[in-house]
Amino acid sequence: MSDRSDSSGDLLPDCPDCGRPVVGVTAVGPTEGYASPCGCQVPPGLIGEGCEP
């Protein structure tokens, strides 16, 4: 997994499904969520676990 920087210098994780940078995850249930902006379905805690908000 490679990290990319956004305009503020924060590191953006890659989507585990498509590899595009993820800016957020919308949780729609305890085990279901969607990565933004790609829209891939991912578990809510998978991306950003251990990262500071």
Side-chain angles (χ1 to χ4, degrees):
M1 174 163 79
S2 67
D3 290 330
R4 293 180 180 84
S5 294
D6 65 8
S7 60
S8 66
D10 294 332
L11 295 178
L12 299 175
D14 291 337
C15 174
D17 192 40
C18 71
R20 292 177 54 193
V22 174
V23 295
V25 175
T26 301
V28 293
T31 60
E32 184 179 358
Y34 293 92
S36 295
C38 63
C40 295
Q41 186 173 353
V42 296
L46 182 65
I47 297 175
E49 216 168 69
C51 295
E52 294 182 30

